[in-house]
Amino acid sequence: MGSCRGSNSARVRQFNERAILMQLRRQRTASKRELADATNLTPQAVVGIVEDLLRRKLVRKEGRRVGGIGPPSLTYGINPAGAYSISTKAENGGNPQKCLLERQRHG
């Protein structure tokens, strides 16, 4: 049982990253606060994940949203040059096989 320690934290982080990326895909742009509200993640978790996604160039700063209380919020969106994915479905004698290929671009 001790050998499984910590294995879930990486999966949880991956799940949370996907939740943020999916939300950005739906909304096109969102502030960190909007992402926290939409994904039910803590603001601190969203800040860390968005900063990591920025560093990996999977998301980018889009602009500022004016309105509401306080200074304008930075908004973020998916970086179209950050990653690519291709999905195919092949039939093998009536037995569908799915394949998802992902290529992440750095630099």
Side-chain angles (χ1 to χ4, degrees), residues 38-49:
T39 59
N40 292 319
L41 295 173
T42 65
Q44 295 86 354
V46 171
V47 166
I49 291 169

Side-chain angles (χ1 to χ4, degrees), residues 23 27 30-44 46-47 50 65 73-76:
Q23 191 61 36
Q27 283 185 244
S31 69
K32 290 176 184 171
R33 182 67 191 167
E34 291 167 334
L35 290 169
D37 291 344
T39 59
N40 292 319
L41 295 173
T42 65
Q44 295 86 354
V46 171
V47 166
V50 169
R65 183 159 295 136
S73 301
L74 277 173
T75 58
Y76 302 87

Side-chain angles (χ1 to χ4, degrees), residues 13-104:
R13 173 68 178 224
Q14 224 175 24
F15 179 85
N16 292 343
E17 280 184 7
R18 285 184 183 168
I20 287 175
L21 289 169
M22 286 172 47
Q23 191 61 36
L24 283 173
R25 216 174 108 218
R26 281 187 206 108
Q27 283 185 244
R28 300 233 181 239
T29 63
S31 69
K32 290 176 184 171
R33 182 67 191 167
E34 291 167 334
L35 290 169
D37 291 344
T39 59
N40 292 319
L41 295 173
T42 65
Q44 295 86 354
V46 171
V47 166
I49 291 169
V50 169
E51 293 302 319
D52 187 49
L53 293 171
L54 280 167
R55 183 185 55 76
R56 291 166 36 208
K57 298 183 182 181
L58 295 176
V59 299
R60 64 183 181 186
K61 293 178 185 175
E62 293 287 342
R64 293 189 178 273
R65 183 159 295 136
V66 181
I69 300 170
S73 301
L74 277 173
T75 58
Y76 302 87
I78 292 180
N79 180 1
Y84 302 93
S85 66
I86 301 167
S87 178
T88 63
K89 181 179 174 183
E91 296 284 336
N92 183 7
N95 194 6
Q97 303 290 319
K98 289 186 180 179
C99 176
L100 177 65
L101 305 171
E102 292 185 4
R103 179 172 166 251
Q104 192 169 324

